[in-house]
């Protein structure tokens, strides 16, 4: 009897043990607490990467709670219903992070020992997760779903599309940007994992030409997004294609480019939806179709219709796609100018002040804008730059009503900072400058008793801070027609000769300016530009009683200019 009881007990224990192992084998992966510096961060990153690969992972909080109360790997696996236990030791040596990872089965036995190293924690985590996936021991959601009866696919209400894995450098990040850009579109984004599982269940190879047709027909997928990401000569670029779910026909393709990966991702996310919207709409909504399970050839037995015209058009699109330029780093402009000036007084009570008019004064101008960050990126660093302008009228003589002539010269320079925000063809900007604008008269000759050798008009030297903004827009099919405009206020804190004791020692002034340009791009960065500008200074002259040199309430000093020139912008 004792022998029988002992045998029965052994049988019960064996069945319990097998049952516990079976539940663990059909379970998930559990990441036990990692050890060493930055180990918690590595553990969290590895968990995220595994989940992104459809691995069934036990939540970290649940694992930590069980490990505190349960000793022994086998018991922990049973409590966690885990088929795989993972733990790692992290250390840093000679500037590199090293992780030694152990993989144990449901019985607590070590089946793999892995080692990875990297200069950064993030890359180390990615390498650990990649090593774990290559072991083939990670329990995926697809494997669990294969054991359960496959649900009948439902008919979509909107075009159903799938984003396939992209190819190339950092392709997964550009694919993620594509998915984010499509989320706001009137479509249904079907996850790629279940789509790949359906292809495997049908025996279809997604790597073969037309291998996507069978799972797409079964799941009512109207189209698939594919992409290639490249990095050449410091430029990131991506070709994104929309392929018909019922054939291998490329419906449309668009090209994106940037000087940085983040800039490329932003460009793709912002533009991919509008670019492909009409093409997705043309694909329409499909109904799930019954597809025979079998080999690849059987699964793709349905004729794959190719449209030679569309395929040829797609090839031409790729060949003729013009690379989009990033924001310009340099803008240099050289102009010929003609300026008209008028100085007029208000409330000239004594009538002894003389207005001044310059009908047309010729001169030259140079404008320079430089954005050093644009050589390396098209992000925020590329939008701050240096602003510089200089202009000068050719020396000429001003004539007094009595015929006396006086040498006259005028010039202006500005230097400051410029910020821009390019969005497509538009480039709005803001400027903050320090500037000096002069218009000065000489004397007609050496002083002679009884003769006035001064012009009777005060010289001016405006020192100011200029704050303003404007825009530049490129129009036309090739974006070779340019229109620009700007408006700024000038806070004047120095007025020069008109503010001396000879004229109006208490004079105060402020100003403004505005301008427009029209340009045409002639190739290789060169542009022909014509423009016009207007500047206006207004005075409160504040004559000081009781005996001021002159009496007037105010004055207006106006400059109207026209320019024609050539610019180089790259």
């Amino acid at each position: 009897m004792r022998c029988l009881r002992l045998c029965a007990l052994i049988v019960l224990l064996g069945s319990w043990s097998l049952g516990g192992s079976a539940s663990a084998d059909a379970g998930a992966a559990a990441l036990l607490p990692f050890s060493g510096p930055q180990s918690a961060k590595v553990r969290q990153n590895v968990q995220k990467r595994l989940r992104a690969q459809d691995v069934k992972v036990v939540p970290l909080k649940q694992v930590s709670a069980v490990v505190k109360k349960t000793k022994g790997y086998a018991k922990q696996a049973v409590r966690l219903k885990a088929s795989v236990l993972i733990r790692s030791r992290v250390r840093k040596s000679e500037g590199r992070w090293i992780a030694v990872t152990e993989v144990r089965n449901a019985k607590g036995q070590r089946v793999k020992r892995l080692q990875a190293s990297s200069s950064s924690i993030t890359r180390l985590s990615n390498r650990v997760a990649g090593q774990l996936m290559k072991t083939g021991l990670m329990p995926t959601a697809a494997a669990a779903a294969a054991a359960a009866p496959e649900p009948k696919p439902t008919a979509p209400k909107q075009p159903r599309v799938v984003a396939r894995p992209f190819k190339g450098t950092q392709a997964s990040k550009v694919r993620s940007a594509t998915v984010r850009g499509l989320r706001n579109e009137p479509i249904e984004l079907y996850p790629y994992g279940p789509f790949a599982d359906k292809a495997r269940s049908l025996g279809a190879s997604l790597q073969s030409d037309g291998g996507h047709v069978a799972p797409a027909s079964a799941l009512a997928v109207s189209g698939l997004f594919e992409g290639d990401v490249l990095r050449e000569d410091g430029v990131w670029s991506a070709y994104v294609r929309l392929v018909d779910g019922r054939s291998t026909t490329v419906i449309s393709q668009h090209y994106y480019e940037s000087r940085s990966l983040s800039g490329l991702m932003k460009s793709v996310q912002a533009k991919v939806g509008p670019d492909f919207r009409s093409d997705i709409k043309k694909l329409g909504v499909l109904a799930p179709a019954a597809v025979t399970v079998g080999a690849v050839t059987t699964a793709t037995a349905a004729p794959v219709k190719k449209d030679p015209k569309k395929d040829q058009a797609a090839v031409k699109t790729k060949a003729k796609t013009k690379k989009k330029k990033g924001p310009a780093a340099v803008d240099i402009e050289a102009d010929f100018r003609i300026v008209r000036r008028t100085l007029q007084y208000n409330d000239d009570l004594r009538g002894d002040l003389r207005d001044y008019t310059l009908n047309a004064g010729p001169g030259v101008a140079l404008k320079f804008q430089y954005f050093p960050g644009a050589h390396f990126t098209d992000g925020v660093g590329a939008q701050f730059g240096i602003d510089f302008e200089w202009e000068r009228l050719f020396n000429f003589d001003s004539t007094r009503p009595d015929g006396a002539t006086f040498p006259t010269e005028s010039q202006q320079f500005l230097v400051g900072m410029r910020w821009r925000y390019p969005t497509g063809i538009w480039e709005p900007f803001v400027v903050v400058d320090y500037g000096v604008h002069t218009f000065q008269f000489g004397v007609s000759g050496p002083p002679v008793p009884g003769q006035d050798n001064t012009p009777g008009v005060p010289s001016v030297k405006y020192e100011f801070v200029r704050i303003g903004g404007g825009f530049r827009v490129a129009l036309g099919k090739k974006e070779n027609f340019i229109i620009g405009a700007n408006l700024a206020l000038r806070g004047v804190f120095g007025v020069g000769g008109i503010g001396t004791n000879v004229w109006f020692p208490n004079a105060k002034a402020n100003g403004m300016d505005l301008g427009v340009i029209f340009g045409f791009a002639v190739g290789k960065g060169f542009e022909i530009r014509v423009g016009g500008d207007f500047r206006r200074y207004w005075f409160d002259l504040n004559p000081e009683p009781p005996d001021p040199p002159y009496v007037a309430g105010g004055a207006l000093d106006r400059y109207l200019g026209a320019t024609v020139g050539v610019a180089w912008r790259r």
Side-chain angles (χ1 to χ4, degrees):
M1 180 64 71
R2 259 183 208 177
C3 185
L4 290 174
R5 287 179 181 175
L6 183 59
C7 291
L9 182 59
I10 291 172
V11 170
L12 286 172
L13 289 172
S15 63
W16 176 83
S17 177
L18 290 173
S21 297
S23 64
D25 290 339
L31 275 71
L32 303 181
F34 289 9
S35 61
Q38 298 290 336
S39 57
K41 186 175 182 179
V42 174
R43 185 184 180 213
Q44 291 175 351
N45 290 344
V46 171
Q47 173 122 329
K48 289 179 182 178
R49 294 288 295 178
L50 293 177
R51 280 182 171 168
Q53 298 292 329
D54 292 332
V55 175
K56 293 179 60 181
V57 185
V58 181
L60 295 181
K61 288 185 178 180
Q62 181 181 345
V63 175
S64 300
V66 170
V67 170
K68 282 184 179 180
K69 298 179 181 179
T70 308
K71 303 299 180 182
Y73 293 119
K75 291 182 180 179
Q76 291 171 356
V78 172
R79 292 283 303 274
L80 294 169
K81 298 181 180 180
S83 59
V84 177
L85 300 175
I86 303 165
R87 74 181 315 152
S88 185
R89 181 169 60 88
V90 182
R91 60 189 175 89
K92 192 173 185 181
S93 176
E94 297 180 356
R96 292 187 66 82
W97 292 95
I98 301 172
V100 179
T101 307
E102 292 182 350
V103 182
R104 297 180 180 270
N105 60 18
K107 296 180 182 180
Q109 301 168 337
R110 190 174 75 183
V111 293
K112 287 285 183 181
R113 186 177 185 276
L114 310 168
Q115 181 168 322
S117 66
S118 178
S119 59
S120 76
I121 286 294
T122 302
R123 285 195 293 270
L124 179 70
S125 306
N126 294 343
R127 290 178 181 177
V128 171
Q131 288 179 335
L132 292 173
M133 291 302 299
K134 289 180 181 179
T135 63
L137 300 173
M138 299 299 104
T140 62
E150 184 178 356
K152 185 177 180 181
T154 58
K157 297 181 181 179
Q158 295 176 321
R160 181 176 288 170
V161 298
V162 169
R164 300 183 66 172
F166 286 14
K167 298 178 182 179
T169 308
Q170 298 290 350
S172 61
K173 293 184 178 181
V174 179
R175 177 186 178 272
S176 299
T178 302
V179 172
R180 290 193 296 270
L182 293 171
R183 283 175 181 165
N184 295 328
E185 298 300 311
I187 60 175
E188 178 187 329
L189 279 168
Y190 194 81
Y192 179 74
F195 182 81
D197 295 338
K198 186 66 177 179
R200 283 191 290 268
S201 69
L202 295 173
S205 173
L206 293 177
Q207 306 305 318
S208 64
D209 189 24
H212 66 272
V213 174
S217 299
L219 297 173
V221 172
S222 300
L224 296 92
F225 280 92
E226 301 175 346
D228 297 300
V229 184
L230 303 171
R231 186 171 187 267
E232 297 177 338
D233 299 327
V235 177
W236 290 86
S237 60
Y239 285 98
V240 181
R241 297 178 294 277
L242 175 62
V243 181
D244 190 353
R246 293 160 291 188
S247 70
T248 58
T249 303
V250 176
I251 304 301
S252 62
Q253 174 177 266
H254 292 275
Y255 176 83
Y256 306 95
E257 181 187 77
S258 175
R259 290 195 176 102
S260 66
L261 177 61
S262 60
L264 178 64
M265 293 169 63
K266 290 178 182 178
S267 177
V268 170
Q269 182 174 341
K271 298 177 181 179
V272 70
D275 286 347
F276 287 96
R277 186 175 299 155
S278 60
D279 297 311
I280 295 174
K281 189 175 181 181
K282 290 177 183 177
L283 289 175
V285 181
L286 304 181
V291 179
T292 305
V293 178
V296 176
T297 54
T298 306
T300 59
V304 179
K305 297 180 180 180
K306 290 188 178 183
D307 189 337
K309 293 183 179 179
K310 286 188 176 180
D311 287 349
Q312 192 174 16
V315 173
K316 288 182 179 180
T317 300
K318 182 174 181 178
K320 293 183 178 181
T321 301
K322 184 179 180 181
K323 290 189 176 183
K324 297 181 180 179
K325 298 179 181 178
V330 178
D331 190 313
I332 303 175
E333 179 180 348
D335 296 319
F336 173 77
R337 286 178 58 80
I338 293 181
V339 177
R340 173 183 171 83
R341 183 207 184 193
T342 58
L343 173 64
Q344 295 178 321
Y345 295 96
N346 301 323
D347 302 324
D348 179 9
L349 301 183
R350 296 178 182 173
D352 53 356
L353 290 169
R354 183 180 302 146
D355 294 341
Y356 177 82
T357 300
L358 169 65
N359 289 320
V364 293
L366 177 67
K367 298 180 181 179
F368 176 71
Q369 300 167 21
Y370 181 51
F371 299 85
H375 292 296
F376 314 104
T377 179
D378 58 359
V380 176
Q383 314 316 344
F384 291 90
I386 300 169
D387 192 43
F388 175 80
E389 294 184 19
W390 171 84
E391 65 182 53
R392 181 180 179 87
L393 297 185
F394 301 135
N395 290 348
F396 61 95
D397 290 335
S398 296
T399 304
R400 204 166 54 186
D402 60 4
T405 59
F406 304 88
T408 309
E409 61 180 29
S410 175
Q411 71 174 356
Q412 172 184 269
F413 82 86
L414 304 172
V415 61
M417 299 295 294
R418 176 178 291 254
W419 177 82
R420 62 184 176 182
Y421 188 72
T423 55
I425 61 174
W426 288 87
E427 187 178 294
F429 62 85
V430 175
V431 293
V432 178
D433 295 320
Y434 164 77
V436 177
H437 182 195
T438 63
F439 200 102
Q440 297 179 329
F441 301 94
V443 295
S444 60
V448 176
Q451 293 184 7
D452 184 7
N453 66 341
T454 63
V457 179
S459 297
V460 292
K461 182 180 179 181
Y462 301 111
E463 296 181 74
F464 54 86
V465 174
R466 178 175 179 265
I467 301 176
F471 68 88
R472 170 191 166 96
V473 59
L475 304 175
K477 188 175 181 180
K478 297 182 180 180
E479 299 182 5
N480 50 358
F481 292 96
I482 297 96
I483 298 176
N486 64 83
L487 174 66
L489 295 176
R490 300 186 175 200
V492 179
F493 55 85
V495 294
I498 196 173
T500 61
N501 292 329
V502 177
W503 295 95
F504 299 95
N506 296 318
K508 304 293 182 184
N510 279 300
M512 56 82 65
D513 64 76
L514 58 88
V516 294
I517 64 163
F518 300 92
F520 181 78
V522 294
K524 296 186 178 181
F526 288 96
E527 298 176 4
I528 303 298
R529 296 178 183 173
V530 296
D533 56 81
F534 175 72
R535 297 166 197 162
R536 184 176 187 266
Y537 301 93
W538 54 92
F539 283 87
D540 186 356
L541 296 175
N542 299 314
E544 184 176 342
D547 189 21
Y550 297 95
V551 177
L556 288 177
D557 192 7
R558 291 169 288 190
Y559 301 79
L560 183 63
T563 62
V564 58
V566 62
W568 184 71
R569 178 183 175 89
R570 295 290 279 187

